[in-house]
Amino acid sequence: MKLIIQIPCFNEEEQLPATLADLPRELDGIDAVEWLVIDDGSVDRTVEVAKENGVDHIVRLTNNKGLAAGFQAGLDACLKLGADLIVNTDADNQYNADDIPKLLGPILKGDADMVVGDREVAGIEHFSALKVSLQKLGSAVVRRASETNVPDTTSGFRAYNREAAIQLQVVSRFTYTLETIIQAGKNLVAVDHVPIRTNPKTRESRLFPSMWAYVRRNGVSIFRIYSTYEPLRVFMAAAAAVGLVAAVIWARFAWFYIVEGEGKGHVQSLILGAVLFIAAVQLAALGVVGDILAASRILQQRTLERVRRVELQLGVEPSHYEPGKPEAGQPPTTGADAAAATGKADEREAVKL
């Protein structure tokens, strides 16, 4: 059984050595533990530092694509490198690497396919009361959308088995943390969580330049992801709210027209109510269209899952991959047909298409 610990990086030459120093090389019940760094277009010595510190695999993106794209590229590479288990952690050494066995525990017992580390944010000193409240609110929304019980949905310290990794497809450009939980809840992926420890803060977050940026970006991400997976519920709720306002305005007009006998002076209410009613109907129609598109998206996701399984069976090599310790004459790969497969080629059988 092979475990690959992946670390998305962007200009992390200063923090990466400490992060790698804490990672395990051996774990009970695991035959091989390997490290993979995803270089998300760094302009410093991140790749060189990774190689100097013994990283086994590197995925080097040409330019900065964002955390979500880096995570997805790492997940794809780990699968094609033959990983049975994948652990994702941050390059700033935020998470305590000694908790990796705890993170893998439910998966190794067969109780879960995906495990999210719960930082128990209320006890983190550098988290303000506002940030804790917003994190809890966002996690509650994601739990409702995903039908899971994960208390810390923005935690990047998480583990996946091979089946869970195959089924996940991140399309968000900003964050993978929320979307993967919702996807897992909608798919045949059992999700669990365990409490984990965090290390002292080493630097400010690069994802959120300010608290308001954190609120805005996470708020937009939660709404976008929720509406993607639950469009009928979102648009029908909006339609009901607008329709209720229209009904109240019409009731006001009816009162003046029937009881007071002054309907002519309140025609504006009649017109405004009609406009709002039309808007409510349009929102309801958008909900129906969105629900149809959501069903189509599920079919597309299932197709992508099957394509990924075929790629793994064929031994397609990960894109933008280079080994941490390249052999003589072995160039980096930039596509599927650049070289022979690096995964479990000896265990695969030829696939006839």
Side-chain angles (χ1 to χ4, degrees), residues 23-335:
L23 296 182
R25 274 298 188 181
E26 296 181 356
L27 288 173
D28 293 338
I30 308 296
D31 299 319
V33 179
E34 299 176 357
W35 303 342
L36 180 144
V37 160
I38 305 110
D39 173 41
D40 188 19
S42 299
V43 295
D44 63 357
R45 297 185 65 255
T46 294
V47 172
E48 289 75 11
V49 169
K51 292 180 178 180
E52 291 168 1
N53 285 270
V55 168
D56 303 282
H57 312 288
I58 295 172
V59 173
R60 186 187 294 197
L61 303 183
T62 308
N63 58 353
N64 183 248
K65 299 295 185 181
L67 180 60
F71 170 83
Q72 184 64 58
L75 214 62
D76 180 74
C78 288
L79 287 170
K80 291 175 179 176
L81 291 166
D84 301 292
L85 300 168
I86 302 170
V87 167
N88 185 86
T89 189
D90 285 357
D92 61 358
N93 205 28
Q94 174 185 173
Y95 307 108
N96 192 321
D98 291 338
D99 286 335
I100 288 179
K102 183 189 298 184
L103 204 63
L104 293 171
I107 296 177
L108 294 175
K109 293 177 182 177
D111 296 332
D113 302 304
M114 169 181 170
V115 180
V116 180
D118 177 14
R119 294 170 293 179
E120 299 178 325
V121 294
I124 300 179
E125 294 182 359
H126 62 270
F127 272 34
S128 66
L130 176 60
K131 189 171 183 178
V132 171
S133 300
L134 291 171
Q135 196 276 340
K136 290 184 176 180
L137 175 61
S139 294
V141 174
V142 174
R143 283 197 300 273
R144 180 177 177 83
S146 63
E147 300 178 358
T148 64
N149 61 351
V150 178
D152 185 8
T153 57
T154 58
S155 171
F157 194 43
R158 46 185 66 188
Y160 308 86
N161 63 13
R162 191 171 181 83
E163 277 301 311
I166 288 174
Q167 295 185 48
L168 295 179
Q169 294 284 347
V170 179
V171 297
S172 172
R173 294 184 178 183
F174 174 61
T175 179
Y176 64 89
T177 55
L178 309 178
E179 185 175 2
T180 50
I181 292 176
I182 294 177
Q183 274 193 23
K186 301 297 183 182
N187 295 336
L188 299 177
V189 176
V191 184
D192 200 356
H193 60 89
V194 295
I196 52 101
R197 295 165 292 176
T198 57
N199 295 321
K201 184 178 180 181
T202 57
R203 60 166 172 78
E204 295 296 329
S205 172
R206 292 174 179 168
L207 287 177
F208 311 107
S210 66
M211 176 59 66
W212 294 115
Y214 173 85
V215 174
R216 176 175 56 84
R217 290 182 181 180
N218 263 345
V220 171
S221 294
I222 290 172
F223 175 77
R224 180 176 178 273
I225 294 169
Y226 190 83
S227 60
T228 297
Y229 288 89
E230 297 289 348
L232 189 63
R233 181 178 296 177
V234 170
F235 285 101
M236 283 300 181
V242 175
L244 179 61
V245 175
V248 170
I249 293 175
W250 275 345
R252 178 178 180 272
F253 173 79
W255 170 267
F256 283 109
Y257 183 79
I258 298 173
V259 179
E260 302 291 338
E262 300 178 358
K264 293 183 179 179
H266 299 278
V267 177
Q268 299 91 333
S269 297
L270 184 64
I271 296 173
L272 178 59
V275 171
L276 291 176
F277 178 76
I278 293 172
V281 172
Q282 290 178 332
L283 286 170
L286 286 175
V288 174
V289 173
D291 193 53
I292 295 172
L293 292 175
S296 177
R297 179 190 52 75
I298 291 173
L299 294 176
Q300 291 175 347
Q301 186 170 336
R302 290 175 180 173
T303 301
L304 289 173
E305 176 190 336
R306 283 159 176 75
V307 169
R308 177 174 280 178
R309 292 183 187 277
V310 171
E311 286 185 343
L312 295 175
Q313 187 71 16
L314 290 172
V316 175
E317 183 147 320
S319 178
H320 297 86
Y321 169 79
E322 60 183 81
K325 298 178 182 179
E327 299 177 1
Q330 183 178 1
T333 66
T334 56

